[in-house]
Amino acid sequence: MTASNCSKPKGQNGRKTSWRNKQRPAASQSKAAPQRRGKPSRASTKPRSDNPVIVLFNKPFDVLCQFTDEQGRQTLKDYIPVEDVYAAGRLDRDSEGLLLLTNDGQLQAKITQPKKKTFKTYWVQVEGEPTAEALEQLRAGVTLKDGPTLPAKVNVIHEPAVWPRNPPIRERKNIATTWLSIEICEGRNRQVRRMTAHVGYPTLRLIRYKIGQWSLDNLDNGEYRVLAQ
């Protein structure tokens, strides 16, 4: 896998902040359902491109994970000029970090399907200092409104050397904050935020650092990199 491009879109203002990660925290087969005549099979809806590519994008805060928006908000189109690629999974508007895009339907399905268990690592700044008991609850799994979460890998880490968020988070005076590394293989809506809130430590900032084998290393905020397959 080789990098064929690493660019920042024209018109982005502000000083470029370079950074490098320094954190090191601690098959079964089933028969296909019968297809109705005249309707394409599931496999045919996930074609493999003749020239598959992966785009790694370091999504800034307040950017939507879509290419159009009727309300005029910032979207992927403002940063990524690559055609015919689509997000493999999503990242909330108020979250930052790694987003994968591809023109390969099979790879997109592999990354997004829960059964594939693609692990994702998040750097999470929470309000307060989580107790050992709270950390163990996150590791063992907590019960949310949509059911129990799978066990997670959770560690306290030093503040990562990342870009400043714009706007900054709202911190309360005299209340410390803590950075956690949380690794999960699920992808429920706002799952990490709900997990930390459940054990009493609301998330103030959330950065996705890694998806499977791909990470944010050497990729500045707002930049993308194209990888030829």
Side-chain angles (χ1 to χ4, degrees), residues 26-54:
S28 62
Q29 295 183 345
S30 59
K31 294 182 179 180
Q35 300 293 327
R36 294 184 180 181
R37 185 176 180 181
K39 291 189 176 182
S41 66
R42 180 180 296 272
S44 67
T45 64
K46 298 293 182 181
R48 182 168 181 81
S49 171
D50 293 334
N51 299 295
V53 298
I54 294 176

Side-chain angles (χ1 to χ4, degrees), residues 65-82:
C65 281
Q66 57 198 51
F67 281 91
T68 60
D69 181 60
E70 295 180 354
Q71 300 180 39
R73 296 171 293 185
Q74 280 196 314
T75 68
L76 300 178
K77 187 177 181 180
D78 296 307
Y79 294 86
I80 304 173
V82 182

